[in-house]
Amino acid sequence: MSYQPRNARSHQLLRLNLAPWRMATVGGLLLGGLVLVAGRAFYLQGLNTDYLQGKGDAVANRNLSLPTHRGQVADRHGQLLAISTPVESLWARPAELKLNSEQHAHLAKVLGMSPPELTKKLAHKTRGEFAIRRPVTPEQAARIAAMGTPGLYLRREFRRYYPAGEVAAHVVGFTNVDDLGQEGVERAYQDWLAGREGERRIMRDRRGNTIRDLAPIKTAQMGGNLALALDLKIQYLAHRELAAAIKQHKAKGGSVVVLDAKTGEILALANQPNFNPNNRRNYKPEPMRNRAVIDTFEPGSTIKPFVAAAVLERGLFHPDSVIDTPETWRVGTKLVRDVHPHPRMTVTEIIQKSSNVGAVKMAMSLTPQQYWDVLHRSGFGELPGSGFPGESAGRLRDAGSWKPVEHATMAYGYGLSVSLLQLTRAYMAFANDGEVMPLSFLRREPQEVAGERVFSPSVAREVRAMMEAVTQEGGTGQRTRVPGYRVAGKTGTAHKLVNGRYAPDRYLSSFIGMAPASNPRLIIGVAIDEPSDGVYYGGSVAGPVFAQVMAASLRQLALPPDAPETATRVTQDAPAVTAPTVVARVGGGM
Amino acid sequence: MSRLSVILALVLVVCALAVIQAQHRARTYFVELERLKKEARALDEQWGQLQLEQSTWANPARVDTLARTQLGLVAPPQERIHVETLVNPGE
């Protein structure tokens, strides 16, 4: 055996070198090391684990907020009126920002400003971060990102856009920088439109991929969308015609309201002056006010159809009853005067020619309570209920407090106040055979609504026939005619109250009308505040606006003409065709 | 007895490998899901921007101006409108 001697020799060697103290030293050192390592491990794993685990989680785990955005607002046909869309904005952290002159010049060029301008912009003393430009265009964003300059970064934000701009500004309203609705529908439906941010806790790997969810996801709730009753095309027409009239008559302001007589939907609502909701810089409160809903005025002669309805309802007069109407008529200390006097008029003629004396005589045949009752039922002095923020109820004093003079002036629209929306809504009773539908800024289906009966169908039709006479020969509203259609309405020209006195030269000219008169579908109210080019009669100032908007809206809705003879011309008589002829088809059997 | 242990040990190994495989697949799918969610969000935002663009082009004020100036369109005068009455349509 060859290994025997070698083994014996090594054995001998070991034995030779082993001394007990050395063994103890080595053993002790090893043991000491072991205790040290075990102690450290125990310290890390057992005592200090929370802190270390936290550090580890901080590297791998993240809380993400799930972004949400505000819902869209669209008109009844889905045309956008307000939308939130992400934009990039350029921010700077001054502490890290180091731009050499070349980069500085490049950035200035990208932003389209001169280098000194940029220097001024960057010379912020703030310690944190500040926005250089919000928002930047996508092209600018791409070029800035390509620069890769430290201290400059892009931040993603949602911004609210209003594609219709000033056309629908008062109805839609706007939001502030924090995305909170400030005016209009944006404010009224804030809770519905605003989304709720979600949250999730995730684990990430080294490359930044999300590996798994650590907690149940709190889903982000997107903001709800809204479909308004508004018809953007009609809204645009109303806006355009109103703006033209305000300019032509050098008026202080004005409003147009277009209602669907069958459903109570607000198809258009325009005011002048107005504002552009996309431009957040120069917000002034004056043009932002929705005059048609918030401002009240004394209705003047537009109240007279309600007087007529009140006396017809009680059987005191018939449309053809003849009333003596002297030029002036004294009630207490007040002398009521007619502008175009006729000695004797029928009730229809009183409405047609807007006789104050006639209206007063009719109203005085009622008790104050009876007249108040009709006005109250028609919605005067009550909130119109459109849900619009800041909507006003107007003023209708309690019948018990009326003096005879007030009873008389109330017959031609002084001593009470209404908003244009409220007044137009009240006319729905005449348009809709006595029923008033609740107003709505939101689109709704006809079967969803139940109306409120104000007058009997026969009274409503009789008053409507009187109002149709207004637009015919001898009436005050001849400039409100719409070719092809029968129109019913009432003019109003009211002196404005200035410092407690009626100003002789300041007027509020109005016209409320409906068409087609045989079965009205649309009601349009127009009010022009202080026309100052010499023309001030409601029929001449507000009337043409009404006619233009009504004609275009009827065409827009493709409603069949109910007086085609005023628009038709026999085909053979037509001159040689130089432009395409528009053919409107009228459904007969359907 | 020891034979059973060996079989069980093998089954255990197979199961362990399957768990690893499943976990890996889960992560891959999860990453894919995340990517698609991100894409969906991006597409949603793009859709919003396109809608905005569309409504800016289709703005009635713009259409009105273009129709009048570039295309020379006018609302037809009354005498050029002919109203036809359909009697019993569909017969």
Side-chain angles (χ1 to χ4, degrees), chain A residues 72 156 211 236 240 581, chain B residues 27 34 45 51 64 80:
Chain A
Q72 298 176 359
R156 223 168 151 68
I211 310 173
Y236 168 70
R240 191 185 70 189
T581 305
Chain B
R27 292 212 168 155
E34 288 302 303
E45 283 168 5
Q51 278 179 297
D64 187 6
R80 303 200 54 78

Side-chain angles (χ1 to χ4, degrees), chain A residues 334-497:
Chain A
K334 174 88 184 166
L335 203 61
V336 181
R337 189 183 296 274
D338 267 351
V339 183
H340 305 293
H342 292 263
R344 290 161 69 78
M345 287 193 232
T346 63
V347 174
T348 301
E349 282 172 329
I350 287 171
I351 297 297
Q352 183 187 26
K353 300 184 193 307
S354 199
S355 160
N356 291 343
V357 173
V360 169
K361 284 185 123 181
M362 288 197 291
M364 298 301 269
S365 70
L366 300 158
T367 68
Q369 187 60 43
Q370 287 168 342
Y371 183 34
W372 181 90
D373 185 54
V374 166
L375 294 178
H376 178 72
R377 258 191 285 150
S378 307
F380 292 94
E382 299 255 301
L383 286 175
S386 68
F388 198 88
E391 167 182 90
S392 56
R395 196 175 60 119
L396 175 67
R397 283 173 37 215
D398 200 58
S401 69
W402 292 4
K403 297 188 191 101
V405 178
E406 290 167 326
H407 185 179
T409 59
M410 210 89 72
Y412 54 99
Y414 291 95
L416 74 169
S417 68
V418 293
S419 71
L420 182 65
L421 181 65
Q422 196 178 16
L423 187 59
T424 314
R425 174 190 174 275
Y427 268 65
M428 212 188 304
F430 303 125
N432 208 21
D433 287 351
E435 256 188 288
V436 170
M437 295 294 164
L439 292 177
S440 173
F441 272 103
L442 301 186
R443 189 180 67 191
R444 64 179 168 210
E445 304 301 323
Q447 63 269 25
E448 282 175 22
V449 286
E452 185 189 331
R453 180 150 296 283
V454 175
F455 300 118
S456 72
S458 62
V459 166
R461 286 196 195 120
E462 278 169 357
V463 176
R464 198 160 78 214
M466 294 178 193
M467 291 197 292
E468 209 178 327
V470 171
T471 67
Q472 288 162 355
E473 212 59 51
T476 54
Q478 297 185 44
R479 296 189 58 189
T480 63
R481 288 182 199 164
V482 176
Y485 295 89
R486 287 163 54 194
V487 173
K490 183 71 194 77
T491 56
T493 313
H495 286 279
K496 281 184 68 179
L497 203 56

